[in-house]
Amino acid sequence: MRSLNQFLVPVCGVALVLSTSVARAQEGSIIRDAEYRILERQHGDRWAAEDKDIDVKLAEFREKNGGKPPNILYILLDDVGFGEVGMPDLDVVRGYSTPNITDFADQGMSMMRMYTEPSCTPTRVAMLTGRHPVRTGFDEAKAVPEGEGLADREVTLAEVLSENGYATAHIGKWHMGDIEQSYAINQGFDYAEHPIHQQAQLALMNSTALNEGHVDGVDLRLRSTDLMLDDTFRIDPYAMVYGTIGEKGGAIREVHMEPGQKFSQDDYVAMGQRYKQSTLDQMEKLAKGDKPFFLQYWPLFPISFTRTDIEQAQTLNGGPVAEAIVKVDGYIGEILSRVEELGIADNTIIVIMGDNGPFMEFVDKSGQSDRIYRGGKTEHLEGGVRVSAFVRWPGMIEEGTRVKDITHVSDLFSTFARLGDGEASIPRDRIIDGVDQTALWLLGETHGRRDYVFVYEGFVLRSLVKQQYKMHLPPPGGNPILAAMYDLYKNPREDRPQDSIRIGVGFGANFSLMAQRHLAMKELYPDMPPGHGPLYGGIENLRPETKELVDNILFAQGLTINPD
């Protein structure tokens, strides 16, 4: 752990001291970061009064719902940033429409300042654990097998809800690790269908994409191997595990992949269609059960890069991702229609949102761009961490509302835990970053409970958001008064830093202290390492080429292990 002095210089001689008595004083309560405690000190009485009224509303709902809390359906779209879905005024800018998501947005609340993490795995970790991914040690979007994943010591939302009477299922992208403890069925889900890896394997390194030249150096057919000595340097994507199915307490197995098969774009599309159908099937099964349910659908689309499979474009945009966004909007329309057919719309909370900004490496060709906020996937800029997010709960959340309060994807953990009667199951031995935003959902704008965000790129804290201002953190030893700062309402693209005298003098010191408090809390509650274990452990039917891949990786990893 780096010292505070290595990160930011002290401002005006102010030193920050947090004694261990702070941690002891919070024993038995959810442990929060310092910024939340500052807000709680100012607004705690009002929040407590609001919570009493909210508890009455929730009790009335449960009484009408047979004594049960609501179902939860969470749909997370991959690499879809702010303004890419559900905002019809932008159709003319984007060159495509998403009518089903737009209708859904009109039926509920649009969270206009939803922040996520800069890439897919960190956002998913934050949502499921309620913690900044850096705290879990698993905050990187892994593209190849490594024997690493979300540790079993982390407590996920699925575990919290399952412990409190929910049936749980996950369908679609997972991307939380390639070891047994990190699979969805071992992280609280009763049933799961998901690929082990992500679209770098499925969409960029499928045989169709390789033939179109989207990735170099992978397909050995496209170059001579006369001087290649190390046959293991290039990962064979076809030897990696693809889609899996499993149930809690049982084995997990790979499906729809035969020995020697070369995974193509057609296979990728078929996998996505199966996940959509499985979501429909699981929802019907869960709706007939006696328990409330938590169902996650994380579609593979709209990530798609090939063009040879597009017979005729359906959009003015014409990019493969734009075409896939329209297709997945159709999938979501089917799911929302099934919710109505099953008669569960009024007792089901549904959230639809993106996980991070667009994949800028394929900008323009894909049909995406940083149209409003600058930046994209992997970046701490607003374009990397601002997404469209919508929530619907008929009769409980006012229709057609747009709120400007700041929210973060980790807030879903705490909010869903409360609404699912699971607050008592939230762990008390670690910092929980997610804030309960039930008041915002049920009471509306100005009732949010955060006005700050810490934005990481991997393990590095890169920027701070407080109210409408944002500071890009200086390098170690840099003077925070001279750091780049932005008024996000006046300069949403973060390309014209504010004058250091006009803004820096007023906020530079406070931003610096905000960062120092955050890092000091990390000294009290240190970041943990990710989970480790045997690569593809627990998968009962590995193909011969997969076993060879595992053997090669384990041999190379073993060369650096101290024999003592």
Side-chain angles (χ1 to χ4, degrees):
M1 176 67 66
R2 292 176 296 170
S3 71
L4 298 180
N5 288 335
Q6 288 178 296
F7 188 83
L8 288 173
V9 296
V11 178
C12 301
V14 176
L16 178 69
V17 178
L18 288 177
S19 70
T20 55
S21 63
V22 174
R24 287 197 297 270
Q26 293 180 352
E27 187 174 351
S29 300
I30 296 173
I31 301 170
R32 303 291 188 183
D33 207 348
E35 293 313 299
Y36 179 85
R37 305 294 292 183
I38 290 172
L39 297 181
E40 185 180 50
R41 183 171 184 263
Q42 299 173 62
H43 304 284
D45 290 343
R46 176 171 63 86
W47 291 353
E50 289 176 352
D51 285 341
K52 288 183 179 179
D53 293 338
I54 289 170
D55 286 341
V56 172
K57 288 187 177 184
L58 295 179
E60 291 173 350
F61 170 84
R62 293 187 190 100
E63 185 177 358
K64 295 177 182 177
N65 195 41
K68 296 186 294 186
N71 304 316
I72 299 169
L73 172 59
Y74 180 53
I75 300 176
L76 185 62
L77 302 176
D78 209 2
D79 291 1
V80 174
F82 184 86
E84 295 195 80
V85 295
M87 296 183 180
D89 289 345
L90 294 178
D91 288 0
V92 67
V93 177
R94 299 182 307 231
Y96 63 85
S97 302
T98 55
N100 293 298
I101 299 176
T102 295
D103 288 347
F104 176 85
D106 290 341
Q107 296 161 10
M109 174 182 286
S110 299
M111 294 173 277
M112 302 300 289
R113 288 196 72 183
M114 169 63 82
Y115 282 85
T116 62
E117 299 296 311
S119 60
C120 42
T121 296
T123 288
R124 292 155 207 271
V125 170
M127 182 271 169
L128 280 175
T129 67
R131 287 155 52 78
H132 285 304
V134 67
R135 300 193 194 280
T136 74
F138 196 62
D139 61 352
E140 181 183 354
K142 306 288 186 181
V144 296
E146 292 193 24
E148 191 171 286
L150 185 67
D152 52 10
R153 68 172 173 274
E154 296 298 331
V155 177
T156 69
L157 177 62
E159 290 171 317
V160 167
L161 294 176
S162 181
E163 188 174 301
N164 288 276
Y166 273 73
T168 57
H170 173 87
I171 308 294
K173 179 170 179 171
W174 180 243
H175 203 193
M176 305 285 265
D178 51 25
I179 56 176
E180 189 169 10
Q181 63 187 283
S182 67
Y183 305 151
I185 61 170
N186 297 321
Q187 290 287 351
F189 289 95
D190 300 325
Y191 177 83
E193 295 182 36
H194 62 79
I196 295 297
H197 300 287
Q198 37 90 296
Q199 287 92 324
Q201 175 203 23
L202 303 173
L204 269 178
M205 293 192 288
N206 68 46
S207 60
T208 313
L210 292 178
N211 284 334
E212 290 188 15
H214 292 290
V215 176
D216 292 329
V218 176
D219 194 338
L220 296 182
R221 298 180 303 109
L222 303 179
R223 65 187 66 244
S224 170
T225 60
D226 289 349
L227 296 178
M228 188 174 75
L229 297 180
D230 184 358
D231 292 338
T232 67
F233 181 70
R234 291 176 175 84
I235 290 290
D236 178 4
Y238 308 123
M240 295 160 62
V241 172
Y242 282 83
T244 62
I245 291 179
E247 295 185 15
K248 184 185 293 184
I252 186 172
R253 65 188 188 280
E254 186 180 34
V255 293
H256 303 292
M257 195 68 184
E258 299 297 327
Q261 181 178 341
K262 306 296 185 184
F263 191 85
S264 69
Q265 178 71 6
D266 287 343
D267 294 319
Y268 176 59
V269 172
M271 177 185 278
Q273 291 172 338
R274 284 195 300 271
Y275 288 150
K276 181 260 294 182
Q277 186 58 49
S278 292
T279 301
L280 293 170
D281 294 343
Q282 280 296 310
M283 186 163 56
E284 187 163 350
K285 176 182 177 181
L286 293 168
K288 293 177 180 178
D290 296 328
K291 296 181 177 181
F293 66 77
F294 170 45
L295 173 60
Q296 287 194 151
Y297 172 48
W298 295 356
L300 302 178
F301 272 5
I303 301 301
S304 186
F305 302 100
T306 62
R307 292 181 176 276
T308 53
D309 56 313
I310 300 176
E311 295 183 6
Q312 174 60 54
Q314 302 300 307
T315 69
L316 294 171
N317 181 303
V321 171
E323 293 289 313
I325 286 176
V326 171
K327 184 170 288 188
V328 81
D329 179 72
Y331 290 177
I332 289 172
E334 290 184 54
I335 291 169
L336 296 175
S337 294
R338 187 63 57 87
V339 169
E340 298 292 336
E341 293 167 6
L342 293 171
I344 58 174
D346 289 345
N347 65 333
T348 302
I349 302 172
I350 304 177
V351 171
I352 302 174
M353 62 180 287
D355 67 349
N356 50 250
F359 205 169
M360 295 299 289
E361 285 79 355
F362 294 89
V363 67
D364 295 333
K365 291 181 180 179
S366 68
Q368 289 183 295
S369 71
D370 55 345
R371 295 179 177 91
I372 298 176
Y373 297 110
R374 184 167 66 94
K377 182 172 183 169
T378 75
E379 296 180 287
H380 70 106
L381 299 171
E382 295 289 285
V385 294
R386 289 283 291 275
V387 300
S388 296
F390 316 101
V391 57
R392 187 186 79 180
W393 190 7
M396 299 293 285
I397 294 176
E398 185 178 354
E399 293 185 12
T401 54
R402 295 185 174 190
V403 295
K404 296 183 287 293
D405 306 60
I406 292 177
T407 54
H408 185 264
V409 65
S410 63
D411 297 346
L412 296 178
F413 172 89
S414 297
T415 306
F416 284 146
R418 179 182 183 184
L419 295 173
D421 292 337
E423 274 191 306
S425 298
I426 295 176
R428 264 66 172 174
D429 62 346
R430 64 201 72 180
I431 291 178
I432 299 297
D433 298 291
V435 172
D436 174 17
Q437 298 283 18
T438 304
L440 175 63
W441 287 6
L442 300 191
L443 304 180
E445 189 170 81
T446 74
H447 292 279
R449 296 187 178 180
R450 76 156 67 231
D451 68 348
Y452 63 92
V453 179
F454 298 96
V455 186
Y456 280 83
E457 287 181 359
F459 289 94
V460 181
L461 182 60
R462 289 298 310 277
S463 61
L464 308 174
V465 176
K466 182 72 171 180
Q467 299 165 10
Q468 71 194 66
Y469 298 101
K470 185 171 184 177
M471 172 194 259
H472 292 186
L473 290 174
N479 189 335
I481 292 179
L482 300 178
M485 277 179 277
Y486 305 88
D487 182 329
L488 294 174
Y489 287 129
K490 296 175 181 176
N491 183 209
R493 292 187 63 80
E494 300 167 85
D495 54 6
R496 300 185 304 278
Q498 291 287 313
D499 182 272
S500 61
I501 299 300
R502 295 183 61 181
I503 298 294
V505 171
F507 296 116
N510 290 335
F511 267 123
S512 175
L513 291 173
M514 178 178 168
Q516 290 184 47
R517 287 190 294 268
H518 177 70
L519 295 177
M521 289 292 290
K522 285 159 69 76
E523 296 282 353
L524 293 175
Y525 299 94
D527 297 341
M528 302 297 287
H532 292 94
L535 177 61
Y536 298 145
I539 300 177
E540 61 181 8
N541 61 334
L542 295 180
R543 289 170 285 128
E545 57 265 40
T546 308
K547 293 178 181 178
E548 181 180 356
L549 173 66
V550 171
D551 183 64
N552 290 334
I553 291 174
L554 292 180
F555 174 79
Q557 291 177 340
L559 296 175
T560 60
I561 296 176
N562 189 329
D564 297 330

